[in-house]
Amino acid sequence: MEREASASVECRCPACESGLDPFTVDHFRVWAAELELDSGERWDVDAFFAAYLEDYFARVPECWLIVPEGNGKTTSLAGLALYLLEHRANASIPWAASSRDQAEIGYRQAEGLVLRSRRLRSFLKCQEGYRRIKNLLTGGRMQVFAADDKTGDGVIPTDAFLDELHRHKDLRLYRTWRGKLEKRGGQMGTISTAGEPGSEFEETRTLIRQSTPVVERRPGFVHCRSEAIALHEHALEEGANVEDMAAVKLANPSPRITVEKLERKRQSPTMTVEHWRRFVCNLATRGANAAVQEAEWDRWRVNRDRDEWLEIPAGEARWVGLDVAWKWDTTALVPLWIPEPSFRLFGRATILTPPRDGTSLDPGLVEQALLAEHERGPIHTVVMDMTRAEQLAAWIQDELGAEVVDRSQGNAMAVMDYERFMEALRNGWLRHVGDPGLSRHVLNAVARQLPGGDTRFDRPQASRLGRRGQQDTRVIDALTAAAMVHTTAAAELGADDDDDLGAYVVDLDEAQAA
């Protein structure tokens, strides 16, 4: 049974009269071609916005579009709001911006499209004082207001739009509207450019990107999608030069933005490096000290096109890295299967979050996770720091019959783990199954240089204090577990299987002695 918000009204617009089905990209293109932009041109929908519409019309509940300034995202979203106002039965479309001035821009774009169309003017009434547009035939309405108007609680949206979300003081209004979508089977559309590093918007953007399966990745663009959320992100590729206009152009999908226009914009004496990086390159997401780049990590995810194995095969013996924490950080269990020295596969991580209310994680949950992994395939070795976990280590030996390797997490060993993990990743020896939890912890990590010049994995923020939910963006425990089990397993390979890996054994012994 279709949800309420998917119902359409009887319509005589050019797209409907052409026989096309509503709520499809082809139908939208024909509908939009009738409208005149403020430039005087007919609206030819850009390919990047059409790709965004594919997810929106597929009924994905939350759809994010992150694209640099000047690509026409506000105009495009205003057009989508009018399209839904015409074709959605009983449409209720709240539109929120960070301030009254920003809200005015969204309203003016929608109003202009109506006033320049004789057909739309015949049944859509623009009420400027209320920043509202009403459908006189259906009673549907689009209401534009500022996020700080404190008027968001009373709406039950069919479609809720948030403009320049990075400028909103926080995401409370977003969460309020998200909580009301189920009442009418509604959806949310979000548009923005990059935000302030460390902001709630950027933390949420990072979590979406790290925990949602990647559908497409190419220079300047990444598309992530699940049943719950879709992200279309246009940003300068990690590692690219912000002064390379060809690379910057790849992050600016509008055909109206050319390399020549970008060069003129960059050379303007009023342009600052900070504005260029953030609003033209969309680069506020990950710092230069990120330990592992997203593209690099995604490259070595196993799939049917590249590798035979999608998971560690059932019944295969495996190593397990275990990083134990009881009160604030997570406890992470990461299995590792090495059928040959050049193929080392991390399986799905188990990540246990403590109550974070002053009480400790139940040790029985850790035991259950180990038993579940042992049932998938026998665990022959667990690598862990036994500090404050001696009883758990004894249980592993007694109940699972597995060897326990006590592994310090001091700097000497952490440096070793970083070097061996990054070397194996560069060479393509390390693979992973795309587990969202492990990926999030890997991509959270930064590379911290120690006083002597060595480097180790570290958390992006040292403090556990901060906004509610910020703890999720600082945890790297699954990476810690993965890195230390990889170093230990690779050392054994160096001793037994491959002379080229012999350095692992020497270096590991030296680090343990230190």
Side-chain angles (χ1 to χ4, degrees):
M1 180 177 178
E2 289 188 337
R3 300 190 298 175
E4 178 184 343
S6 65
S8 61
V9 299
E10 185 176 347
C11 176
R12 295 189 178 279
C13 75
C16 288
E17 292 196 335
S18 69
L20 295 169
D21 292 329
F23 310 119
T24 63
V25 173
D26 288 342
H27 188 274
F28 184 88
R29 283 188 181 278
V30 173
W31 177 88
E34 180 191 32
L35 302 184
E36 181 182 321
L37 301 173
D38 52 16
S39 64
E41 301 173 321
R42 292 292 175 181
W43 186 11
D44 182 11
V45 179
D46 290 336
F48 81 91
F49 192 69
Y52 174 79
L53 291 174
E54 290 279 2
D55 283 337
Y56 201 91
F57 291 152
R59 308 295 301 146
V60 178
E62 299 173 71
C63 293
W64 285 44
L65 174 61
I66 312 299
V67 66
E69 64 180 9
N71 282 272
K73 57 184 177 294
T74 298
T75 300
S76 296
L77 196 68
L80 174 58
L82 295 176
Y83 174 87
L84 295 168
L85 187 59
E86 178 172 4
H87 294 93
R88 188 86 84 200
N90 303 311
S92 174
I93 308 173
W95 173 305
S98 61
S99 64
R100 292 184 64 87
D101 289 343
Q102 185 66 36
E104 187 75 12
I105 294 173
Y107 173 79
R108 290 297 181 192
Q109 291 302 103
E111 179 189 57
L113 291 172
V114 173
L115 296 180
R116 291 187 294 270
S117 168
R118 178 180 299 178
R119 193 183 67 81
L120 292 185
R121 287 201 313 271
S122 68
F123 64 93
L124 293 183
K125 182 178 181 180
C126 298
Q127 299 175 299
E128 181 178 357
Y130 297 101
R131 288 176 293 181
R132 181 169 63 204
I133 300 177
K134 290 185 65 176
N135 186 325
L136 300 177
L137 301 178
T138 67
R141 65 179 59 190
M142 169 191 171
Q143 176 74 56
V144 180
F145 58 91
D148 56 7
D149 282 350
K150 302 185 186 304
T151 56
D153 287 341
V155 301
I156 303 177
T158 59
D159 303 88
F161 292 149
L162 293 105
D163 187 7
E164 294 293 10
L165 188 59
H166 76 278
R167 295 190 184 277
H168 290 222
K169 181 173 59 177
D170 53 46
L171 300 192
R172 281 186 291 182
L173 181 60
Y174 184 99
R175 290 190 291 269
T176 296
W177 285 358
R178 177 62 186 90
K180 297 186 176 188
L181 293 185
E182 298 301 325
K183 292 184 177 181
R184 296 188 63 182
Q187 293 178 264
M188 293 184 69
T190 297
I191 58 172
S192 190
T193 50
E196 292 282 351
S199 65
E200 187 177 7
F201 167 79
E202 282 299 332
E203 290 169 1
T204 303
R205 177 185 174 190
T206 298
L207 285 173
I208 294 171
R209 195 175 54 248
Q210 293 179 1
S211 61
T212 307
V214 175
V215 177
E216 179 185 2
R217 184 188 296 276
R218 63 175 186 269
F221 177 68
V222 62
H223 176 200
C224 305
R225 174 174 168 171
S226 68
E227 292 183 358
I229 195 164
L231 170 69
H232 293 246
E233 181 176 275
H234 299 264
L236 187 70
E237 185 178 21
E238 289 181 323
N241 186 351
V242 297
E243 304 296 343
D244 181 348
M245 296 301 132
V248 176
K249 166 54 191 167
L250 294 176
N252 288 266
S254 170
R256 293 172 296 282
I257 296 179
T258 64
V259 169
E260 292 73 24
K261 288 182 178 179
L262 288 169
E263 288 175 342
R264 289 197 296 271
K265 186 173 185 176
R266 180 69 184 95
Q267 292 167 7
S268 169
T270 63
M271 176 59 66
T272 65
V273 173
E274 292 76 14
H275 185 99
W276 179 261
R277 288 179 57 88
R278 179 174 167 186
F279 294 105
V280 183
C281 300
N282 242 0
L283 275 187
T285 53
R286 305 192 71 226
N289 62 341
V292 179
Q293 300 297 328
E294 288 180 12
E296 181 180 26
W297 181 246
D298 188 61
R299 178 185 179 189
W300 298 117
R301 181 181 63 182
V302 293
N303 54 58
R304 294 189 186 278
D305 296 330
R306 184 180 299 143
D307 299 301
E308 179 181 353
W309 303 288
L310 291 176
E311 300 280 357
I312 297 177
E316 289 287 343
R318 60 203 63 199
W319 297 75
V320 162
L322 183 63
D323 186 43
V324 180
W326 300 112
K327 286 196 173 182
W328 287 101
D329 295 327
T330 59
T331 289
L333 180 159
V334 181
L336 173 64
W337 177 55
I338 308 181
E340 57 185 75
S342 61
F343 191 97
R344 312 166 191 181
L345 180 63
F346 289 121
R348 295 190 179 276
T350 301
I351 299 173
L352 304 174
T353 303
R356 291 176 180 164
D357 60 0
T359 61
S360 297
L361 179 71
D362 182 357
L365 297 177
V366 185
E367 295 173 0
Q368 290 175 21
L370 286 161
L371 286 171
E373 187 64 42
H374 194 59
E375 289 178 2
R376 286 187 281 268
I379 299 172
H380 60 75
T381 306
V382 175
V383 181
M384 61 182 289
D385 185 347
M386 290 173 54
T387 305
R388 296 186 297 278
E390 295 88 349
Q391 186 172 348
L392 177 62
W395 179 90
I396 292 171
Q397 293 172 320
D398 293 341
E399 296 296 325
L400 304 184
E403 178 185 359
V404 176
V405 177
D406 187 12
R407 198 50 168 49
S408 165
Q409 295 187 21
N411 279 340
M413 297 304 295
V415 168
M416 169 68 60
D417 291 343
Y418 175 86
E419 291 176 351
R420 295 314 182 198
F421 190 96
M422 296 305 293
E423 177 189 24
L425 192 63
R426 285 193 303 271
N427 286 292
W429 303 333
L430 276 187
R431 307 295 179 89
H432 62 97
V433 299
D435 176 64
L438 175 59
S439 296
R440 184 165 60 251
H441 285 215
V442 168
L443 297 176
N444 277 345
V446 299
R448 178 164 68 88
Q449 191 169 37
L450 301 175
D454 292 326
T455 305
R456 62 167 293 168
F457 293 120
D458 207 351
R459 308 177 189 282
Q461 301 99 23
S463 174
R464 293 189 177 97
L465 302 177
R467 287 182 298 276
R468 183 180 180 182
Q470 191 175 22
Q471 179 73 2
D472 290 336
T473 66
R474 69 176 295 278
V475 288
I476 63 168
D477 308 297
L479 171 60
T480 300
M484 65 183 183
V485 72
H486 169 258
T487 300
T488 305
E492 182 170 305
L493 285 175
D496 297 337
D497 301 319
D498 194 327
D499 292 339
D500 292 338
L501 299 177
Y504 278 78
V505 179
V506 176
D507 292 344
L508 182 59
D509 288 343
E510 292 177 352
Q512 286 173 330

